[in-house]
Structures are given as C-alpha cells and as structure tokens.
Amino acid sequence: VWIQYLCEILKLQDSDLMKQLMNQPSGSSSLSTSDINSAIAKGDSRHLLRKWDDKITPSERKNGQEVLDCFEIKCYTMYDIMPIQN
C-alpha cells in the first residue's frame, strides 16, 4: 500500500517490482537477526522502521523534519515512522 502511494505521489513506474525487491532480504541479511529477516520477508515495514526510530535523537528528528519542510514533503513527519496517507 505504501509503495503504491509513494509511486503515485512521485510518479514512479513499476511499483510491483519495487514491492518484490523490498520484500527480499539484502545481501547482508546474514548479519541481521531472525526477527529482522522475518519482517523483511513479510513486508513488515513498520517493524523495520521502528528499529531505526529508536536510534534517532530528538535533535536528529527535528533536523530531518527541517529537510522535509524545505522540500515541502508532506507525506512524512517527524512524529510517525510511516508516511501519512491522504
């Protein structure tokens, strides 16, 4: 759902291929924990992003929001790890 939404917003082609590639573990998957590899295989983006979200400081989050604001990107905010669906 999110890839389709981003493809529509960014006018990108071949969302099916993007979904397929996103659900494949990377070449470094042997370095990942089993829960990460399982989340990749299931397409559980929220779980994967939550792992990164825990490592971001409030200052980094604010800086990221400033970049989003500069480019007028409205589908992401510093308060949620997933894009906002209109």
Side-chain angles (χ1 to χ4, degrees):
V1 173
W2 297 112
I3 290 178
Q4 185 64 40
Y5 176 69
L6 288 173
C7 286
E8 289 172 14
I9 295 292
L10 299 173
K11 298 184 179 17
L12 300 174
Q13 304 297 315
D14 208 354
S15 63
D16 290 335
L17 178 59
M18 290 179 202
K19 289 177 201 173
Q20 179 183 355
L21 292 173
M22 190 174 122
N23 291 334
Q24 292 178 359
S26 70
S28 63
S29 62
S30 62
L31 304 174
S32 298
T33 60
S34 62
D35 70 314
I36 294 296
N37 286 334
S38 176
I40 292 169
K42 292 177 186 172
D44 187 355
S45 302
R46 186 169 290 278
H47 177 77
L48 297 169
L49 292 172
R50 196 173 297 117
K51 290 273 212 194
W52 284 97
D53 190 54
D54 294 342
K55 298 179 182 357
I56 298 172
T57 67
S59 175
E60 291 169 327
R61 192 176 301 277
K62 183 177 179 289
N63 290 342
Q65 185 64 53
E66 289 174 4
V67 172
L68 294 171
D69 292 344
C70 178
F71 289 99
E72 298 181 5
I73 298 172
K74 307 282 188 213
C75 63
Y76 288 98
T77 73
M78 63 188 241
Y79 303 108
D80 196 351
I81 59 175
M82 299 298 286
I84 298 166
Q85 195 169 18
N86 293 334

